């Protein structure tokens, strides 16, 4: 099933419209392969700003069965978000359907730069700040795993780094569209897949997911380790053109080393123990990795130099965000 991306005019046509007599569409926040996300204002709650995620209108042109499956998947995503307690996940305010029967999710607005933007500013970020971000994300993923789900699309673009009301840091994940539930089998985790285009983002995908094998929490741990390596090194752990999914998938399905070069090749001041952490976290065989995301981040923090808590200076994070947002 192939879905084209919604055109800009089609998206902009929704600006100013009011969903369910309550949510006024103000602007677009982003678009994925299956849904569009808009900035909206809720009229009845002090005009608060929030995000509205809608199934792409292009699904209306597909066979009815495909549309029903996509709608059901989006509602499952809303249900999952509603059960999660970690502050890493946005709150769901309401679900409903548009007049054309496409579902929508009204959810908390995650404000701040994406982790992708944060990583691009890495000269301003010390290992302590990186560990603070990764630790919050690892805690959120740990709850997701404990509730019987695997994220399968842990990427810097799917994470927002903002400030909480007490001026501390808050990491939020808002996209669980590719999350897979536990299966009734001894290994507990299983996913469906397409041979040429497995679900997820190849640049942050584990080898077993690229191969269509069973995945568990260690696939998300692998993705988080890829992000950490890239943030520290300024280069990807997989030596493949990230703009060509087929090239990345071929490398993941092969037997080349991951990471392709030790971190100390890029950062000579890093202790050899940090390379040992990445060698384990990025092992092709999940049996040799850390059992969960917490274990990986804790071990990384134990060996990175200068990893004092970012929260010892509450204003530091605000200043860093100000550079990214122009405030």
């Amino acid at each position: 099933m192939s879905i084209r991306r919604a055109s800009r005019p089609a998206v902009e046509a929704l600006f100013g419209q009011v969903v369910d007599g309550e949510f006024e569409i103000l602007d677009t926040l982003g678009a994925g392969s299956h849904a569009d996300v808009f900035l909206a204002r809720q009229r009845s709650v002090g005009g608060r700003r929030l995000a509205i995620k809608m199934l792409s209108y292009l699904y209306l042109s597909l066979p009815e069965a495909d549309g029903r499956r996509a709608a059901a998947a989006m509602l499952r995503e809303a249900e999952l978000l509603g059960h999660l307690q970690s502050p890493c996940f946005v709150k769901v305010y309401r679900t409903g359907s548009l007049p054309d029967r496409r579902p929508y999710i009204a959810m908390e607005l995650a404000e701040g730069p994406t982790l992708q933007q944060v990583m691009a500013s890495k000269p301003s970020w010390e290992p302590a700040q990186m560990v603070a971000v990764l630790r919050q994300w690892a805690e959120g993923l740990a709850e997701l795993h404990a509730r019987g789900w695997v994220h399968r699309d842990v990427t810097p673009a799917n994470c927002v780094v903002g400030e909480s009301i007490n001026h501390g840091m808050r990491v939020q994940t808002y996209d669980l569209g590719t999350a897979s539930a536990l299966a009734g089998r001894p290994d507990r985790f299983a996913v469906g897949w397409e041979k040429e285009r497995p679900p997820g983002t190849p640049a942050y995908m584990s080898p077993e997911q690229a191969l269509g094998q069973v995945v568990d929490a260690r696939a998300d741990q692998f993705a988080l380790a890829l992000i950490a390596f890239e943030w520290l090194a300024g280069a990807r752990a997989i030596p493949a053109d990230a703009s060509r999914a087929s090239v990345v998938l071929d490398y993941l399905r092969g037997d080349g080393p991951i990471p392709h070069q030790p971190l100390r090749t890029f950062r000579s001041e890093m202790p050899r123990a940090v390379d040992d952490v990445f060698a384990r976290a990025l092992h092709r065989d999940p049996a040799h990795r850390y059992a969960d995301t917490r274990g990986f981040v804790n071990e990384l923090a134990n060996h990175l130099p200068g990893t004092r808590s970012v929260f010892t200076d509450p204003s530091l994070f605000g200043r860093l965000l100000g550079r990214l947002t122009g405030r």
Side-chain angles (χ1 to χ4, degrees), residues 303-318:
H303 296 291
L304 278 174
T307 51
R308 69 179 182 88
S309 173
V310 67
F311 298 109
T312 57
D313 182 359
S315 65
L316 175 60
F317 190 73

Side-chain angles (χ1 to χ4, degrees), residues 13-177:
L14 292 171
F15 295 174
Q17 293 192 25
V18 180
V19 176
D20 272 356
E22 178 77 353
F23 306 110
E24 180 184 359
I25 305 299
L26 302 177
D27 202 350
T28 182
L29 292 173
S33 57
H34 303 294
D36 301 304
V37 184
F38 297 90
L39 174 66
R41 179 174 66 87
Q42 187 171 5
R43 290 179 164 182
S44 66
V45 188
R48 73 174 170 189
R49 293 170 13 128
L50 70 160
I52 297 278
K53 185 173 185 176
M54 301 178 185
L55 187 68
S56 172
Y57 84 97
L58 295 171
Y59 272 89
L60 297 174
S61 63
L62 294 178
E64 185 177 353
D66 289 334
R68 283 199 307 267
R69 281 194 292 269
M74 178 171 283
L75 293 177
R76 283 196 301 271
E77 178 184 5
E79 183 178 7
L80 175 57
L81 281 170
H83 281 96
L84 293 166
Q85 300 299 311
S86 169
C88 278
F89 300 102
V90 294
K91 295 180 176 65
V92 172
Y93 299 136
R94 184 187 299 181
T95 61
S97 297
L98 303 170
D100 58 17
R101 298 184 180 180
R102 284 182 296 142
Y104 73 82
I105 309 172
M107 63 180 73
E108 178 184 5
L109 178 64
E111 296 191 84
T114 65
L115 186 55
Q116 192 169 47
Q117 293 170 314
V118 169
M119 289 167 64
S121 72
K122 75 176 186 64
S124 302
W125 290 70
E126 296 299 323
Q129 283 84 55
M130 185 199 74
V131 167
V133 170
L134 294 180
R135 182 163 277 145
Q136 284 198 39
W137 203 1
E139 289 293 327
L141 288 169
E143 184 196 353
L144 183 70
H145 300 149
R147 288 182 178 271
W149 291 78
V150 187
H151 192 291
R152 298 198 301 157
D153 199 21
V154 176
T155 76
N158 281 345
C159 181
V160 172
V161 184
E163 292 178 272
S164 67
I165 195 169
N166 61 356
H167 305 295
M169 179 169 52
R170 185 180 181 190
V171 175
Q172 290 182 284
T173 300
Y174 54 86
D175 188 352
L176 294 178

